[in-house]
Amino acid sequence: MDSTVAKALALIETLAASAQPIGVTELAARQGLTKSNVHRLLQTLAGRGYVVAVDRRYTLTTKLWELGAQVVGRLDVAQVANPVMQRLVAEVDETAHLSVLDLATCEVVSIHNVESTQPVRAYSRIGQRTPAHCVATGKALLAAQPPEALAVLSKELARFTRHTLYRRADLLVALEKIRRDGYSTNVGEWREQVGGIAVAIRDHAGQPVAALGLTVPVERLQSKVVKRYAPMLVEAADEVSRQMGAPGPRDR
């Protein structure tokens, strides 16, 4: 790994996490670097348009957002799914979200949300990463992977609540059930009070490209609600999959 590139990326990540501009001295202390080294890196990043100085302190420009928007713009699934998600939320008034799987880190990344109007609702920001093994969209996408792809899962995964399926063996059993049912659920596995239902979306090659989920406070996620929402979500995800050119169930 190029150490200069790694240091520059670490500076970008630190600035991105800060709500306020940060000075050279503080950045150097946080990164364990000399002030001269930090200054040189910042000048390079400024020259490329990634950072700007504000009263001798540094903050990120919108260039990273612009690059990210270009990538997300190529994820046609978000554009295709939006009207379907809007209709779904209008019917059930729960927050719908679209996530993609980063199998290298076993996380799902939120790429599009349609918010509920409920006063008590779950919220996730665009770009938010969550552990795939304990949220509905993550489990839906893991269940859609070939068995060999799941070899990356550790024997014991991070445990966040008493409901988390943190043992790989238990998770694999759950994923098999998800394949049979056609949808996944999460009842307080990531956050005690947050649950959800999700279904995988496939592309023209029949490959899982995203998952469409409803995020529902656990207090509203009774079994009768799951039974009502699951078919609606399956239908919505199938509609998006068809528009993405996915083959029908018989052809998969």
Side-chain angles (χ1 to χ4, degrees):
M1 179 185 296
D2 189 305
S3 61
T4 301
V5 173
K7 291 172 184 175
L9 290 173
L11 287 178
I12 288 174
E13 290 168 358
T14 299
L15 290 171
S18 175
Q20 302 296 329
I22 307 176
V24 172
T25 301
E26 185 177 349
L27 282 169
R30 290 193 191 187
Q31 301 300 322
L33 302 172
T34 64
K35 290 194 289 185
S36 60
N37 196 352
V38 169
H39 187 266
R40 284 195 300 272
L41 291 169
L42 289 170
Q43 292 309 302
T44 299
L45 291 171
R48 298 292 299 177
Y50 288 95
V51 304
V52 63
V54 180
D55 294 330
R56 296 180 134 186
R57 299 167 74 83
Y58 290 83
T59 188
L60 292 178
T61 67
T62 59
K63 185 166 184 176
L64 282 174
W65 178 86
E66 292 164 7
L67 294 177
Q70 290 176 31
V71 174
V72 172
R74 291 196 292 271
L75 298 174
D76 291 342
V77 64
Q79 182 176 356
V80 171
N82 181 58
V84 179
M85 295 169 69
Q86 295 282 355
R87 291 201 306 270
L88 182 64
V89 172
E91 188 166 359
V92 303
D93 202 15
E94 298 289 358
T95 297
H97 59 278
L98 196 67
S99 298
V100 295
L101 178 65
D102 183 348
L103 196 55
T105 61
C106 290
E107 295 174 313
V108 283
V109 184
S110 176
I111 63 170
H112 185 59
N113 294 335
V114 177
E115 293 293 328
S116 160
T117 63
Q118 299 265 20
V120 177
R121 61 185 185 271
Y123 172 79
S124 64
R125 59 179 172 79
I126 302 302
Q128 178 175 321
R129 287 177 171 264
T130 50
H133 68 282
C134 57
V135 292
T137 52
K139 290 194 289 183
L141 286 167
L142 287 174
Q145 303 303 311
E148 59 271 17
L150 300 179
V152 300
L153 296 173
S154 302
K155 287 187 177 180
E156 286 209 358
L157 303 157
R159 188 175 189 179
F160 299 94
T161 75
R162 57 195 173 93
H163 304 293
T164 305
L165 294 176
Y166 65 96
R167 294 189 179 91
R168 181 174 63 185
D170 295 336
L171 178 63
L172 292 177
V173 171
L175 295 181
E176 183 56 39
K177 184 178 186 302
I178 291 167
R179 294 185 193 101
R180 294 195 303 269
D181 294 344
Y183 65 92
S184 65
T185 59
N186 154 38
V187 183
E189 297 173 42
W190 163 236
R191 293 289 183 257
E192 286 276 2
Q193 302 305 316
V194 180
I197 314 168
V199 179
I201 292 170
R202 297 180 182 270
D203 64 8
H204 65 282
Q207 297 300 309
V209 291
L212 174 59
L214 287 173
T215 302
V216 185
V218 167
E219 63 185 22
R220 293 203 294 267
L221 196 63
Q222 298 92 358
S223 59
K224 64 180 181 181
V225 173
V226 174
K227 288 179 181 178
R228 178 185 168 222
Y229 287 175
M232 299 168 66
L233 201 54
V234 168
E235 184 178 349
D238 281 351
E239 181 179 349
V240 178
S241 294
R242 286 194 300 272
Q243 292 185 51
M244 294 291 291
R250 284 187 188 175
D251 303 322
R252 288 179 189 165

